[in-house]
Amino acid sequence: MAETSKPRLLVVGAGPVGALAALYGAKRGWEVEVYELRGDLRDASTTPLNFTKSINLALSERGINALRQTGDHRLLNIILSETVPMYGRMIHGQDKHAKLTEESQQYDVHGRYLRAVDRANLNKTLLDAVDGLPNVKLHFNHKLTGTDFRKRKAWFEQKASRKPQTADGAQTHQVQSDDRAKEIEAVFDLILGCDGAHSSVRFHMMKFTRMDYQQSYIDTLWCEFTIPPASDTSSSTSSGEDGFATSPNHLHIWPNADKMFIAIPSIDKTFTCTLFAPSVDFTNLEKSSSDVLKYFNINFPGAADLIGGKELHKQFNENPHLPLISVKCSPHHFGGSGVILGDAAHAMVPFYGQGMNAGLEDVRVLFEHLDTQHSTADGRALALNSYTKERVPDAHAINDLALANYWEMHAGVRSPLYLVRKKIEEFLNDKLPSTGFATQYSRVSFSNQRYSEVISTVARQGKILFGGMLATVLIPAMSWAVWWLWRWRQAGHTTETATKYFAGLGILDAVRTVMSSNGERDIEGLSFTLQYPRSNDYPNKIRAALIASEDTRIRLSLVCSEPQNSKQAAFVLLKLEIERMLGSLLDGKVEEFSKCVVEHTSLKEKNGSDKPGVLPPPYAS
């Protein structure tokens, strides 16, 4: 295909990422065409791909910066004016007297905040911005059926519709009674796949490049609910104000051991809420939906009152119960003709609120690479290659961080260790900024530091902080152990528990390493290794375990309690088990801590042979 002065850009997918990519291309003078499988996304009757009526998102610095770099300050101001600031989390619970409680946890020591934004409104604003540009054409109801990345051609199935097929009405002459799909051919210099987790562009790109691809689901489903505005007949909390049933400036969390309920404010004074729970919970509630209210009252005290009992049942039964998908792939491009962005390249679980922000950041980073090269096929090939080299490790990093943040949101928000570390890092960041300390959350949400760099930086911080924290624990713990051992002997008991206690203190360095890592790094220079054995009961799933080497007499009895589909999920649960163990140590619960340490050297098989290093039942690999 001959080069032209104005490259032809095809964007597949008209969601926020696709619309922003079209805007970036149009601002550079490219001829842009956007093709979308669904009808006009600005039409309220258009069904979203996830089948939900509405969903609120958290817009953070990365997404805002990507919008800012369009140079259209009016557009940015319009978008920001339709958001609700969230300064932190509001943790909902119940005290020992069954009284409902609210606890505010600010996101950032400097007062920075996230913005709750309605996805549909954001999408409409971006589409309106590109629709008004002379070098952009929008095509709705067009399904991608094939792509030749070498010849730079794409084919779309044009669905019959009673409405114009393009935003400018170019297809209004189509016979309305003809329901047969019509295929059209489009040529391009560069095609961008912004078409979601089940991307058609990615599917066709796999035919042209050796793409490593990993798709997984966690054993958690989600369902959407809505809290209405406050009224004389509805329930509200003490933090509710200005017509909101509860605080309008927080992300609300009802945490639980293996599930959680969250609520995000909307500008219309409602809250978009999401239940995240194991699939077995949904299965049981689907069989007996009359138990939904009881389930909420037990697990999320106060949440059902805000929604209303009848509405709770109605919304649970009518709204879909959907899975959570995670996608990793590499490379993100082919030659100089195609690249995938957003969920097409790195769909992730929603627990860091970074899915959309990472997708918008993809657009900024991609065009930064394109701007450094000549606007030719060779120049674009160089740009896309360098983009993939930078973006793949960052995409994998935020994918892992998003999964790990599920633990923080439903369990870590009540963890003494998590709260202590957060306070220390915030103190150092505020009072001693030269130390370079900052919380992982602030680095992810309030900076533009590369995600992969965030992981390595936070790991270094973690080793320093956990080393200091454990050192301060170790001395009083040893003193406590000496006193406790004397009392134990005075009572005539054996010293087995005390021996395990001292042994456990001796391997805290391994614990520190695990707590400061992301599960992918080797544990070097220690007598312990991080392993992922298969489960006997679930052969297709794995656990994470901290295993002692053969010459070590003791090991931590730390194996994640439930088998998982991926290493990342298993590692998150392992960290939770370790956190609980350290919590018992901090609370002076010696016997609970000692139960975490077991004999290791000579676990015998049935035939009597020694097999050092194996896991005890039911965790044997």
Side-chain angles (χ1 to χ4, degrees):
M1 178 175 178
E3 293 291 343
T4 63
S5 58
K6 293 184 177 180
R8 185 167 182 142
L9 177 67
L10 253 63
V11 180
V12 181
V17 175
L20 183 64
L23 185 59
Y24 266 69
K27 292 283 187 179
R28 285 159 174 76
W30 293 33
E31 293 294 334
V32 181
E33 291 194 52
V34 181
Y35 289 86
E36 169 58 47
L37 172 65
R38 297 161 288 176
D40 193 330
L41 304 183
R42 294 167 290 184
D43 188 333
S45 64
T46 300
T47 303
L49 285 178
N50 60 13
F51 306 107
T52 58
K53 291 176 292 185
S54 64
I55 185 168
N56 281 20
L57 302 168
L59 182 62
S60 62
E61 167 57 23
R62 295 174 193 274
I64 294 172
N65 188 41
L67 295 167
R68 187 185 299 123
Q69 296 307 314
T70 64
D72 191 336
H73 299 295
R74 177 178 173 276
L75 172 65
L76 179 61
N77 290 334
I78 291 174
I79 292 173
L80 296 184
S81 69
E82 296 179 344
T83 63
V84 180
M86 297 186 294
Y87 293 93
R89 298 166 174 152
M90 185 70 79
I91 312 303
H92 293 258
Q94 205 171 34
D95 64 19
K96 60 183 179 180
H97 303 294
K99 181 181 179 181
L100 298 179
T101 61
E102 293 180 300
E103 176 191 350
S104 176
Q105 295 179 0
Q106 67 174 4
Y107 282 131
D108 181 68
V109 68
H110 301 294
R112 292 174 291 187
Y113 53 89
L114 304 180
R115 294 175 179 267
V117 60
D118 181 273
R119 181 191 177 95
N121 288 341
L122 173 63
N123 212 160
K124 179 182 182 301
T125 303
L126 289 172
L127 286 175
D128 285 344
V130 298
D131 198 5
L133 299 175
N135 56 335
V136 178
K137 293 181 180 179
L138 301 178
H139 305 264
F140 297 105
N141 292 305
H142 281 65
K143 178 181 179 181
L144 181 70
T145 57
T147 307
D148 190 323
F149 289 90
R150 292 192 176 91
K151 295 181 179 179
R152 297 188 178 92
K153 292 183 179 181
W155 295 270
F156 295 88
E157 198 175 75
Q158 181 179 325
K159 297 180 180 179
S161 173
R162 295 182 180 179
K163 295 184 178 182
Q165 294 300 296
T166 65
D168 58 6
Q171 302 295 326
T172 54
H173 64 276
Q174 179 178 326
V175 179
Q176 301 303 318
S177 61
D178 184 1
D179 292 332
R180 293 174 299 174
K182 293 176 172 59
E183 187 174 78
I184 64 171
E185 180 181 279
V187 294
F188 58 85
D189 292 295
L190 178 61
I191 185 171
L192 306 184
C194 307
D195 49 342
H198 304 287
S199 169
S200 295
V201 175
R202 185 186 65 224
F203 172 78
H204 292 293
M205 186 182 290
M206 286 178 170
K207 303 171 186 176
F208 289 80
T209 185
R210 295 191 296 263
M211 180 182 289
D212 293 328
Y213 177 75
Q214 174 188 333
Q215 173 182 303
S216 60
Y217 293 88
I218 64 173
D219 188 28
T220 298
L221 300 180
W222 66 280
C223 179
E224 184 179 289
F225 295 83
T226 301
I227 293 175
S231 68
D232 293 338
T233 59
S234 65
S235 179
S236 61
T237 73
S238 59
S239 64
E241 60 180 74
D242 193 29
F244 288 87
T246 187
S247 170
N249 299 123
H250 289 83
L251 185 152
H252 296 262
I253 303 178
W254 282 260
N256 202 286
D258 61 348
K259 57 185 72 72
M260 69 176 175
F261 187 74
I262 69 170
I264 299 178
S266 302
I267 57 175
D268 64 357
K269 303 185 187 303
T270 64
F271 286 83
T272 299
C273 311
T274 311
L275 166 66
F276 297 101
S279 58
V280 66
D281 287 22
F282 278 91
T283 299
N284 293 334
L285 291 175
E286 287 165 359
K287 292 177 180 177
S288 179
S289 60
S290 60
D291 292 335
V292 172
L293 180 59
K294 179 180 178 182
Y295 177 86
F296 266 73
N297 286 336
I298 292 174
N299 295 292
F300 316 115
D305 296 335
L306 297 176
I307 299 171
K310 291 183 179 179
E311 273 299 310
L312 184 72
H313 282 279
K314 179 182 177 182
Q315 293 177 30
F316 179 84
N317 291 324
E318 293 182 357
N319 292 343
H321 307 155
L322 300 168
L324 293 169
I325 189 173
S326 177
V327 170
K328 290 181 179 180
C329 62
S330 177
H332 289 177
H333 78 290
F334 173 77
S337 61
V339 61
I340 50 177
L341 309 174
D343 284 354
H346 48 67
M348 66 191 74
V349 293
F351 306 122
Y352 228 124
Q354 285 295 302
M356 178 190 67
N357 290 286
L360 298 179
E361 187 177 59
D362 287 346
V363 177
R364 175 184 66 79
V365 176
L366 171 63
F367 278 88
E368 284 180 357
H369 283 270
L370 289 169
D371 289 343
T372 63
Q373 302 295 337
H374 295 295
S375 186
T376 64
D378 290 341
R380 285 187 288 275
L382 291 172
L384 298 191
N385 185 58
S386 61
Y387 170 78
T388 280
K389 286 183 178 179
E390 174 179 340
R391 204 58 183 162
V392 165
D394 289 340
H396 289 185
I398 187 55
N399 203 299
D400 294 339
L401 288 172
L403 181 60
N405 204 50
Y406 186 34
W407 167 80
E408 180 177 313
M409 290 184 71
H410 78 271
V413 291
R414 289 177 170 172
S415 158
L417 284 179
Y418 162 75
L419 296 174
V420 167
R421 175 175 178 172
K422 182 175 183 288
K423 287 181 180 179
I424 294 174
E425 288 176 327
E426 287 183 337
F427 174 83
L428 293 173
N429 180 249
D430 185 33
K431 305 301 182 184
L432 297 170
S434 60
T435 62
F437 273 77
T439 65
Q440 177 178 286
Y441 196 90
S442 68
R443 292 181 186 276
V444 170
S445 299
F446 305 121
S447 82
N448 293 289
Q449 183 181 16
R450 290 183 57 185
Y451 291 122
S452 55
E453 292 178 357
V454 169
I455 282 185
S456 58
T457 302
V458 170
R460 288 195 299 271
Q461 286 184 188
K463 293 196 74 171
I464 295 171
L465 288 178
F466 276 110
M469 290 168 65
L470 293 179
T472 58
V473 168
L474 196 57
I475 294 176
M478 291 291 285
S479 300
W480 170 266
V482 171
W483 176 85
W484 176 81
L485 179 59
W486 177 77
R487 289 291 303 272
W488 192 257
R489 284 179 170 173
Q490 289 291 104
H493 297 296
T494 67
T495 60
E496 179 183 2
T497 301
T499 302
K500 291 180 179 180
Y501 177 78
F502 280 109
L505 294 177
I507 56 177
L508 287 179
D509 194 40
V511 172
R512 180 193 69 164
T513 305
V514 171
M515 293 298 288
S516 63
S517 73
N518 62 6
E520 296 296 329
R521 295 166 53 247
D522 292 332
I523 302 179
E524 299 177 355
L526 298 170
S527 300
F528 296 82
T529 59
L530 188 62
Q531 297 182 15
Y532 296 93
R534 294 283 173 180
S535 168
N536 285 340
D537 298 331
Y538 303 90
N540 295 324
K541 295 188 176 184
I542 59 176
R543 301 177 188 269
L546 193 61
I547 308 297
S549 59
E550 294 185 9
D551 58 349
T552 306
R553 280 198 54 80
I554 46 82
R555 75 168 182 85
L556 289 178
S557 177
L558 287 171
V559 183
C560 70
S561 55
E562 297 294 333
Q564 298 294 313
N565 293 328
S566 67
K567 286 185 177 180
Q568 293 92 337
F571 185 74
V572 168
L573 287 185
L574 176 65
K575 291 181 76 169
L576 177 57
E577 297 295 335
I578 292 177
E579 190 278 336
R580 287 172 177 166
M581 182 199 74
L582 293 179
S584 66
L585 178 61
L586 288 172
D587 291 339
K589 298 176 181 177
V590 177
E591 292 189 60
E592 284 190 25
F593 173 73
S594 66
K595 292 177 183 177
C596 297
V597 185
V598 300
E599 289 289 335
H600 174 72
T601 52
S602 185
L603 298 172
K604 296 181 180 296
E605 294 185 303
K606 291 182 179 179
N607 60 9
S609 63
D610 289 347
K611 189 179 180 182
V614 300
L615 292 169
Y619 309 126
S621 58

